[in-house]
Amino acid sequence: MEIRNELKWVTAARPLDDYRLHLTFNDGNQRIFDCLPLIEKYKLFAPLRDKEVFNRIELDGWTVCWLDGSIDIAPEHLYEMGEAAA
């Protein structure tokens, strides 16, 4: 059996209510990722508690980021920990 570990990256993203993101990946999969656990646990993500900041999501070619790239989340984490979008 061949194991394939293909790179994943975010091709589209939009903020949802309750600090969640709707993400589309390069393989066409769509996932919903809940950012609140990161915001509550890590100081790095604290600025995202401000909904205006959170909603100003950007794409850097690989993943989502905020504040000109000073905050980002690895695309692999987003993919693996996100739930399939219905």
Side-chain angles (χ1 to χ4, degrees):
M1 177 166 96
E2 179 181 338
I3 297 175
R4 297 181 67 178
N5 187 12
E6 297 181 21
L7 288 176
K8 304 285 190 254
W9 62 88
V10 179
T11 58
R14 64 183 166 89
L16 302 172
D17 293 336
D18 300 325
Y19 300 101
R20 294 175 303 133
L21 300 173
H22 183 277
L23 305 164
T24 303
F25 290 84
N26 61 306
D27 64 359
N29 277 306
Q30 296 185 22
R31 302 231 191 262
I32 304 295
F33 182 83
D34 184 0
C35 294
L36 192 56
L38 295 176
I39 293 169
E40 291 177 337
K41 185 173 182 177
Y42 300 105
K43 289 182 183 179
L44 169 70
F45 295 100
L48 301 183
R49 188 168 291 283
D50 180 334
K51 284 298 240 176
E52 285 187 30
V53 173
F54 181 81
N55 288 335
R56 287 196 305 260
I57 191 170
E58 304 167 25
L59 293 178
D60 67 0
W62 288 102
T63 193
V64 296
C65 59
W66 294 265
L67 301 172
D68 294 324
S70 64
I71 299 173
D72 66 11
I73 304 171
E76 301 86 1
H77 184 75
L78 295 168
Y79 192 91
E80 292 170 12
M81 302 305 290
E83 296 183 11

